[in-house]
Amino acid sequence: MELKSNVPEGPLADKWDNHRFTSKLVNPANRRKHKIIVVGTGLAGASASATLAEQGYEVSSFCIQDSPRRAHSIAAQGGINAAKNYQNDGDSIWRLFYDTIKGGDFRSREANVYRLAQVSNNIIDQCVAQGVPFAREYGGTLANRSFGGAQVSRTFYARGQTGQQLLLGAYSALSRQIKTGKVTIHTRKEMMELVLVDGKARGIVTRDIITGKLESHAADVVILATGGYGNAYFLSTNAMASNVTAAWRAHKRGAGFANPCFVQIHPTCIPVHGSFQSKLTLMSESLRNDGRVWVPKKPGDTRRPGTIPEEERDYYLESKYPSFGNLVPRDVASRNAKEQCDEGKGVGTTNLAVYLDFSEAINRDGEATILKKYGNLFQMYEKITDSNPLYEPMMIYPAVHYTMGGLWVDYNLMTTIPGLFAIGECNFSDHGANRLGASALMQGLADGYFIVATSIANYLSTTNLESVDSADQDFSDSEQQVQDRIVKLLRCSVGGPEGKLTVDEIHKELGLLLWDHCGMARNKEGLEKALSELPTLQKKFWDKVYIPGKGEELNQSLERAGRLADFLEFAEIMIRDALDRGESCGCHLREESQTEENEAQRNDAEYSHVAVWEYTGEGAEPTLHKEPLVFENVSPSQRSYK
Amino acid sequence: MWFIQFFKSSIGKKWLMAGTGCCLLLFLCSHAAGNATLFYSLALFQSYADQLHSHPLIVSIFSTGLLVIFILHIITGVLLTLQNRKARGHDYKVKKRSSPNSTASSTMIYSGLFILFFVLIHTYVVSFGDHSQISLTISYLFSSFYVIVFYITAFVVLAIHLSHGFWSMLQTFGVNHPRYNTMIRSLTYIVPAFFLLLFTAIPLLFLF
Amino acid sequence: MTTTSINLKLEIWRQKDSKATGNFETYILTNISTDMSFLEMLDVLNEQLTREGQDPVAFDHDCREGICGMCGAVVNGIAHGPEPETTLCQLHMRHFKEGETLVIEPFRSRAFPIHKDLVTDRSALDRIIQAGGYVSVNTGGMPDGNATPIPSATAELAMDAAACIGCGACIASCPNGAAMLFTGAKISQLSLLPQGHPERKERARSMVATMDKEGFGNCTNERECEAVCPKGISISNIARMNREFVKASLL
């Protein structure tokens, strides 16, 4: 596997311009002859589909939900960053670039991140023109807020529903192209396999979720915009249907998978209530501005929080990090919460939670002020937990939120398979080892609206593409493989459910294994243990999973089983990647790599690279390739929050 | 044709319903004004009737117009009910309403048909009766307890019909503004209550 | 927060596929934690059914935080259940009583054919948006975001309308199966914002025509849609659509 990043020549600020100039174009009249498949209709997928169709390509767009408007981008709350500097507070493209690359702990590619900062401004203009109702000042100009610890106000937002509004904007652009016939939309279709012809991505096999029918679709280019793999942990803030299948299938066909161990764990989520829990809900990080995090000093203290006297409370973040206190970065807050719970000091029914207490802030600023800031969050919290944070401290616990890792792509967002592009959370490109708040929406739309079309034109005009048809042998072979897999999945359900396990039971086991050993803090021993236990779990799945019903019908158990089968395989490279990365960086603490003050210790000498995994066959160990990261414009610095 | 297109659309039919309803409401106002003469004396009422019928051209133009509007209102109402039942399709096992004043809004077709029934009888007995003797006719009618009960029932039903109809008409015309909604909400009860009081007071006048 | 357990009787609409007739099946669930969400309760039922070798209940769901609009069923006669402004996934079992019978039916309307059990086809809503629920701009070359000031109150009103999650509860609960709140919300959003003005007439005509063609019923202002909308979208948006449509059709 050759990793050519294809970063253009020239000074950082000119690279994208130079690249657009040197990229080859496709004559407008010829564009309609090219068919493009886009899998996924989130911010990246919908915006790419719409943009490519506007330019004249024939686009087929696929989504797993019943409507393209429901992709999980819709759940993003906070906002979207752009270097507009509307607030005149010293922001610039360079600052957004620097913040993003520093936030990612210097594990991303300079050129990609700089381009992201460059196009961020166009995104805002585009969305405003589409009728996205961004929050505005009384004078009618766009409002901004500061977000995720940034020192400038560069986040644009639409109440707490920014993701929804941006997605509906992209969905409206997509809808317009569906109306014109340039986009054919395929809803409730799950991508099951990537089809390669002569080593190039030329199509996909899908399963119709309603009828179970397998279908082949041929094209000149395949774009994956299928999101992240956080659901490997079973519990995450991701939507229930979010999965790794499309990316994993591509990986098994030859696409390198980059940094699979980079998973962001968000510190302020509503804790798990019980074994029935199906997903976790994120609460905005801003809560930590006024809330104080604490646990009882005595392990196993089950008194109600109000009855625990001040001197028996451990405000562990404030005592450990006097200068940042409760505002330490996400990873530090998350890690410390888990540490406290592991010591038995966790609170709540499951002992997996810490308090976030607003009583001091309420005494200081009054109820009204606090409600003005956090009223909607308090409401949301109360709806789920039936407890009012005004009178009782909130309980929070970290949860898997975003995956920085993904399919390896070059500067053109093309994977190691020619003709296969990956955009949005599905690729690894821009967030390094940690993503800053309000940057996910920015990246999804940057890739979709402003970047991928240039790459595709260049690819199409420089590549010799034979004509293929979905009835060709390569397609029917792939379809057969998918069919065989479904048969294999259903194989052990024949004798009935006795002595078998349900899909979720096994998924919860996998989730726990990853959470315990491949979560926020990792060590060699734990990772090796996880790696050794994984094959047993995989075998258990294939021997014991019970899936009711048939393949040729709406069968939600079968859908979940197929996704879990891929998560089980994928978990291996996640663990291997974590094992190989002997440094602490971004979101993760590698216990062997700590400073004297027990803080994360990055190791640039050995690990300043992108770890890219290559699939080498069933049962064979995957191969690790490294793309070295070169920093010509910024110099990696070590963080300190003491 | 553009206006046929308009009236064939769902919003067009709504407008037709609201427009004809508005005309009928105006008619009700004029009718109420005429009837109000009864509060003064039977003789005044008789002279009002005589005056009215001394202009047969005006009467016939207005009553034809009224008939057309009335029929349009009924036909649209029935058509909407049938179309909407079809659009609803399979009904729910548990039927529950969550909206305000759902008793009135869900029974518009029935209250409407009852009013039609009343109007038919009213027209047969009063309008096609002897106009020169109208005051005698109503004195005679209102001497019957059953007639009074029927008459009052009809106006209670009309009030219920109006309690949704009046607000609904404004909403259809797009009259919905935070500044005026409180006023509109109270009018929703004042308007039907006004007609109910005025019309039911008449038989009671004869009773006591 | 007090966690208790309740026992429930569920009557759920079961329908094998779009052609089957379907019927209600009764299930008994014991020990349901009141901290569960409604969908987690259904998960528990499905695990139970799976272990018994029966077909689990198919239901649509995705984000489980009340924003994707994928979930939805009629619980005891109310779309998304009894809590106001709450989607089914955000409805928690503490709002139900010990021993209660819950009748769970799919969203029904002629325009929403049933695929299986509680899973319905709501693609008609997408086709309404495709008819004009957008501003016709291509990607690129847009004026600066601040080029056109929009009063903050107007932006807020537009946001109120834009909050629609497209779940279809308004249609499911409308006695007439009308899609006026859904359509009205989108027309409102784009008629309030200056960006939507150039196409407002064509948009109103086209979206209303598509809404009628898809087999949705006629609005008779019953207000059920507003009462069940999980995002609290106001029927003032229907009034605004009425004005837009009349202006577009008659003027």
Side-chain angles (χ1 to χ4, degrees):
Chain A
M1 182 178 287
E2 199 193 357
L3 301 175
K4 264 183 73 183
S5 63
N6 292 319
V7 171
E9 294 301 315
L12 189 60
D14 299 339
K15 282 183 194 290
W16 178 229
D17 264 355
N18 292 346
H19 184 66
R20 278 187 293 178
F21 179 69
T22 50
S23 291
K24 299 277 179 294
L25 303 173
V26 178
N27 181 318
N30 285 334
R31 291 182 195 156
R32 76 173 73 90
K33 296 177 193 156
H34 292 292
K35 200 173 162 193
I36 294 168
I37 284 176
V38 183
V39 187
T41 57
L43 285 177
S47 57
S49 295
T51 303
L52 289 163
E54 285 159 12
Q55 296 185 358
Y57 299 101
E58 289 293 321
V59 179
S60 283
S61 192
F62 295 80
C63 71
I64 206 167
Q65 295 88 353
D66 71 330
S67 159
R69 68 181 287 155
R70 308 207 197 281
H72 194 53
S73 306
I74 206 156
Q77 300 166 358
I80 178 165
N81 285 335
K84 283 281 195 186
N85 192 27
Y86 281 158
Q87 305 308 320
N88 193 27
D89 55 0
D91 200 8
S92 63
I93 288 172
W94 189 274
R95 189 179 288 280
L96 177 56
F97 152 72
Y98 184 75
D99 285 353
T100 308
I101 206 152
K102 179 171 178 250
D105 222 2
F106 302 96
R107 289 293 172 265
S108 43
R109 223 184 261 145
E110 271 187 349
N112 283 59
V113 179
Y114 193 84
R115 174 177 63 185
L116 176 66
Q118 277 177 305
V119 300
S120 67
N121 291 340
N122 305 59
I123 297 173
I124 302 302
D125 301 340
Q126 186 65 33
C127 294
V128 167
Q130 285 171 344
V132 170
F134 281 119
R136 292 191 176 253
E137 305 291 354
Y138 287 111
T141 53
L142 290 159
N144 289 117
R145 60 182 168 203
S146 82
F147 196 80
Q151 287 166 302
V152 290
S153 288
R154 62 158 77 99
T155 303
F156 294 78
Y157 61 99
R159 293 198 190 142
Q161 291 135 274
T162 319
Q164 180 200 24
Q165 292 311 314
L166 295 178
L167 181 62
L168 293 182
Y171 161 76
S172 74
L174 174 65
S175 295
R176 175 169 160 247
Q177 294 308 314
I178 295 171
K179 178 75 171 175
T180 65
K182 291 302 284 181
V183 173
T184 314
I185 184 82
H186 302 265
T187 58
R188 293 200 198 260
K189 298 275 192 298
E190 180 159 18
M191 172 178 157
M192 305 298 281
E193 197 55 89
L194 176 74
V195 182
L196 265 54
V197 179
D198 294 334
K200 298 187 194 83
R202 295 308 299 271
I204 59 172
V205 176
T206 58
R207 178 175 179 274
D208 185 312
I209 283 177
I210 299 301
T211 61
K213 197 168 165 279
L214 300 182
E215 288 162 7
S216 290
H217 304 269
D220 296 327
V221 164
V222 176
I223 302 175
L224 297 188
T226 53
Y229 48 83
N231 273 347
Y233 293 82
F234 186 73
L235 285 180
S236 80
T237 64
N238 283 8
M240 303 302 285
S242 301
N243 66 77
V244 79
T245 292
W248 185 248
R249 297 282 119 201
H251 174 67
K252 287 182 91 168
R253 295 276 176 179
F257 209 109
N259 300 333
C261 82
F262 285 169
V263 176
Q264 184 176 67
I265 298 181
H266 200 284
T268 47
C269 294
I270 298 176
V272 180
H273 292 303
S275 56
F276 51 82
Q277 185 107 9
S278 59
K279 82 152 277 166
L280 297 169
T281 306
L282 181 89
M283 308 279 294
S284 168
E285 231 180 340
S286 61
L287 288 167
R288 285 195 287 140
N289 290 339
D290 283 298
R292 296 179 72 196
V293 177
W294 64 276
V295 289
K297 277 189 176 152
K298 200 171 69 203
D301 193 339
T302 52
R303 286 175 292 173
R304 290 186 78 83
T307 64
I308 300 179
E310 212 42 50
E311 61 275 11
E312 289 177 46
R313 300 176 177 193
D314 183 2
Y315 293 91
Y316 58 89
L317 288 179
E318 294 172 19
S319 52
K320 231 171 140 179
Y321 307 96
S323 57
F324 274 75
N326 295 299
L327 289 172
V328 290
R330 285 180 180 182
D331 56 314
V332 180
S334 299
R335 206 153 51 228
N336 278 283
K338 184 166 187 287
E339 227 170 76
Q340 297 296 328
C341 295
D342 289 349
E343 286 171 22
K345 296 196 276 186
V347 296
T349 46
T350 53
N351 297 323
L352 289 175
V354 297
Y355 290 125
L356 182 64
D357 201 333
F358 291 88
S359 52
E360 197 193 85
I362 292 168
N363 288 337
R364 185 183 62 224
D365 303 337
E367 252 180 50
T369 314
I370 295 298
L371 277 181
K372 193 159 175 254
K373 278 192 195 167
Y374 309 112
N376 58 339
L377 291 166
F378 282 15
Q379 228 174 15
M380 181 168 100
Y381 181 82
E382 193 178 1
K383 199 173 236 177
I384 295 174
T385 64
D386 199 26
S387 150
N388 188 340
L390 280 180
Y391 312 117
E392 205 165 339
M394 223 178 227
M395 285 196 270
I396 53 162
Y397 199 62
V400 172
H401 180 51
Y402 185 89
T403 57
M404 283 75 64
L407 292 174
W408 183 88
V409 289
D410 64 4
Y411 188 76
N412 293 311
L413 306 180
M414 188 159 88
T415 66
T416 52
I417 299 175
L420 179 70
F421 294 78
I423 57 177
E425 191 179 349
C426 182
N427 73 25
F428 88 106
S429 72
D430 296 339
H431 307 298
N434 197 5
R435 178 179 65 76
L436 287 186
S439 283
L441 302 182
M442 172 172 71
Q443 186 223 337
L445 290 180
D447 289 358
Y449 282 134
F450 296 109
I451 300 171
V452 81
T454 307
S455 307
I456 279 171
N458 186 51
Y459 173 77
L460 288 172
S461 52
T462 55
T463 313
N464 199 11
L465 291 163
E466 306 286 314
S467 86
V468 296
D469 187 89
S470 60
D472 291 353
Q473 187 70 29
D474 295 298
F475 285 87
S476 45
D477 286 351
S478 298
E479 232 177 89
Q480 189 56 46
Q481 282 167 18
V482 174
Q483 183 57 39
D484 293 347
R485 231 167 91 81
I486 291 172
V487 170
K488 194 179 162 199
L489 278 169
L490 290 166
R491 191 185 49 185
C492 55
S493 304
V494 180
E498 285 76 30
K500 310 268 172 62
L501 293 164
T502 64
V503 178
D504 281 2
E505 282 170 326
I506 303 169
H507 199 163
K508 283 176 188 174
E509 269 190 64
L510 172 68
L512 210 59
L513 184 77
L514 290 174
W515 179 250
D516 284 343
H517 302 298
C518 195
M520 299 165 263
R522 299 135 179 209
N523 58 52
K524 187 160 180 280
E525 197 191 344
L527 288 164
E528 278 171 349
K529 183 167 177 275
L531 197 58
S532 70
E533 282 178 18
L534 194 61
T536 327
L537 196 58
Q538 287 168 339
K539 188 166 161 17
K540 193 160 152 188
F541 172 79
W542 288 105
D543 289 349
K544 283 201 158 174
V545 69
Y546 176 73
I547 304 160
K550 300 181 303 220
E552 300 79 26
E553 60 178 3
L554 174 54
N555 187 339
Q556 294 177 322
S557 306
L558 177 66
E559 290 165 33
R560 289 205 304 276
R563 292 166 201 161
L564 176 58
D566 288 330
F567 277 132
L568 280 163
E569 291 180 10
F570 168 71
E572 185 189 339
I573 60 164
M574 252 177 111
I575 301 169
R576 279 187 191 282
D577 188 44
L579 197 56
D580 186 76
R581 194 166 280 276
E583 62 161 352
S584 300
C585 82
C587 271
H588 312 116
L589 180 83
R590 181 66 186 258
E591 287 168 6
E592 296 91 330
S593 176
Q594 299 188 45
T595 62
E596 281 164 13
E597 292 132 335
N598 293 85
E599 284 313 313
Q601 172 83 56
R602 211 177 58 220
N603 179 350
D604 289 335
E606 284 180 75
Y607 297 103
S608 187
H609 62 248
V610 180
V612 187
W613 296 86
E614 182 182 6
Y615 183 76
T616 53
E618 207 79 36
E621 257 191 41
T623 315
L624 172 65
H625 302 267
K626 292 172 184 174
E627 181 205 337
L629 289 169
V630 186
F631 296 96
E632 293 167 340
N633 300 280
V634 296
S635 52
S637 58
Q638 191 85 25
R639 348 173 269 177
S640 168
Y641 296 101
K642 284 279 174 180
Chain B
M1 282 292 278
W2 57 270
F3 65 90
I4 294 178
Q5 279 299 322
F6 173 72
F7 285 116
K8 270 169 77 181
S9 73
S10 53
I11 295 180
K13 277 178 276 190
K14 231 165 110 139
W15 257 63
L16 200 57
M17 208 62 205
T20 50
C22 184
C23 295
L24 292 173
L25 189 69
L26 291 175
F27 164 71
L28 199 64
C29 290
S30 69
H31 196 314
N35 282 17
T37 54
L38 273 168
F39 291 115
Y40 190 72
S41 71
L42 261 177
L44 182 65
F45 180 66
Q46 182 63 53
S47 74
Y48 154 70
D50 294 342
Q51 274 291 327
L52 196 64
H53 289 280
S54 63
H55 307 288
L57 186 65
I58 295 175
V59 169
S60 59
I61 288 172
F62 269 85
S63 42
T64 314
L66 185 63
L67 185 70
V68 170
I69 285 165
F70 202 66
I71 288 172
L72 270 176
H73 195 74
I74 295 164
I75 290 176
T76 319
V78 171
L79 193 73
L80 280 173
T81 307
L82 295 177
Q83 283 182 345
N84 289 346
R85 285 206 176 144
K86 210 170 129 211
R88 180 88 289 272
H90 201 296
D91 220 338
Y92 292 110
K93 182 172 177 180
V94 182
K95 295 173 197 69
K96 205 172 206 164
R97 299 292 298 257
S98 320
S99 57
N101 202 17
S102 61
T103 327
S105 62
S106 58
T107 52
M108 287 303 271
I109 184 73
Y110 306 112
S111 54
L113 290 174
F114 187 84
I115 294 163
L116 173 65
F117 174 63
F118 171 78
V119 168
L120 287 177
I121 291 180
H122 175 79
T123 318
Y124 179 74
V125 178
V126 182
S127 311
F128 293 137
D130 187 353
H131 296 127
S132 54
Q133 300 294 322
I134 185 103
S135 52
L136 288 180
T137 314
I138 59 163
S139 310
Y140 167 72
L141 282 171
F142 282 145
S143 63
S144 157
F145 176 72
Y146 296 106
V147 170
I148 292 177
V149 168
F150 175 65
Y151 182 87
I152 290 180
T153 312
F155 278 96
V156 168
V157 171
L158 177 71
I160 294 172
H161 195 81
L162 276 179
S163 72
H164 176 68
F166 180 72
W167 170 84
S168 180
M169 171 188 83
L170 293 178
Q171 164 77 5
T172 297
F173 289 149
V175 184
N176 183 321
H177 189 287
R179 197 170 294 158
Y180 303 104
N181 279 352
T182 325
M183 188 179 82
I184 291 173
R185 248 195 309 278
S186 43
L187 277 180
T188 305
Y189 298 102
I190 293 170
V191 169
F194 169 75
F195 287 114
L196 182 67
L197 285 176
L198 193 120
F199 280 99
T200 51
I202 292 168
L204 298 178
L205 210 63
F206 284 86
L207 207 60
F208 304 108
Chain C
M1 172 172 23
T2 47
T3 306
T4 47
S5 293
I6 51 171
N7 302 312
L8 294 168
K9 189 168 131 192
L10 306 177
E11 284 181 44
I12 303 182
W13 180 260
R14 301 304 306 265
Q15 182 173 332
K16 209 172 160 13
D17 53 43
S18 54
K19 289 178 200 78
T21 31
N23 61 290
F24 283 94
E25 292 282 348
T26 306
Y27 304 100
I28 304 291
L29 270 187
T30 53
N31 259 327
I32 292 300
S33 158
T34 49
D35 279 340
M36 278 185 199
S37 72
F38 195 89
L39 299 188
E40 283 166 350
M41 183 274 292
L42 287 181
D43 289 341
V44 171
L45 171 71
N46 279 347
E47 287 286 291
Q48 185 177 314
L49 290 176
T50 307
R51 277 192 218 100
E52 289 166 2
Q54 295 185 56
D55 200 19
V57 180
F59 64 94
D60 267 331
H61 61 106
D62 200 15
C63 79
R64 297 209 178 186
E65 41 190 283
I67 192 78
C68 75
M70 186 100 173
C71 70
V74 174
V75 181
N76 287 348
I78 305 175
H80 289 300
E83 277 293 291
E85 296 197 20
T86 305
T87 55
L88 202 58
C89 60
Q90 293 289 80
L91 172 67
H92 283 73
M93 297 312 290
R94 65 183 74 96
H95 300 294
F96 298 97
K97 288 192 290 290
E98 164 63 28
E100 202 171 337
T101 301
L102 305 183
V103 181
I104 306 170
E105 304 176 67
F107 277 178
R108 290 193 185 280
S109 156
R110 186 173 51 146
F112 290 171
I114 293 176
H115 284 311
K116 183 179 179 178
D117 299 341
L118 305 176
V119 177
T120 56
D121 178 357
R122 291 168 289 185
S123 53
L125 299 182
D126 284 328
R127 290 190 288 276
I128 293 179
I129 299 295
Q130 283 156 23
Y134 42 74
V135 177
S136 295
V137 290
N138 285 353
T139 305
M142 287 306 131
D144 186 85
N146 267 343
T148 314
I150 301 171
S152 125
T154 310
E156 289 298 307
L157 266 184
M159 181 62 216
D160 286 342
C164 169
I165 57 172
C167 63
C170 46
I171 292 122
S173 60
C174 175
N176 309 326
M180 291 271 180
L181 192 62
F182 173 82
T183 314
K186 188 47 77 181
I187 289 180
S188 264
Q189 178 201 343
L190 296 177
S191 67
L192 281 161
L193 296 171
Q195 286 82 7
H197 284 185
E199 300 168 273
R200 65 198 293 180
K201 285 193 171 183
E202 181 51 33
R203 177 180 306 118
R205 279 196 296 264
S206 170
M207 286 181 75
V208 170
T210 308
M211 177 177 80
D212 294 347
K213 201 182 86 201
E214 288 291 340
F216 291 105
N218 308 288
C219 177
T220 56
N221 300 324
E222 306 250 3
R223 284 183 276 189
E224 286 296 320
C225 51
E226 183 184 56
V228 301
C229 175
K231 295 294 146 185
I233 293 179
S234 155
I235 51 164
S236 59
N237 291 302
I238 299 182
R240 192 175 288 108
M241 169 172 69
N242 292 344
R243 299 198 291 268
E244 288 291 316
F245 182 73
V246 169
K247 268 188 265 177
S249 305
L250 302 182
L251 304 178

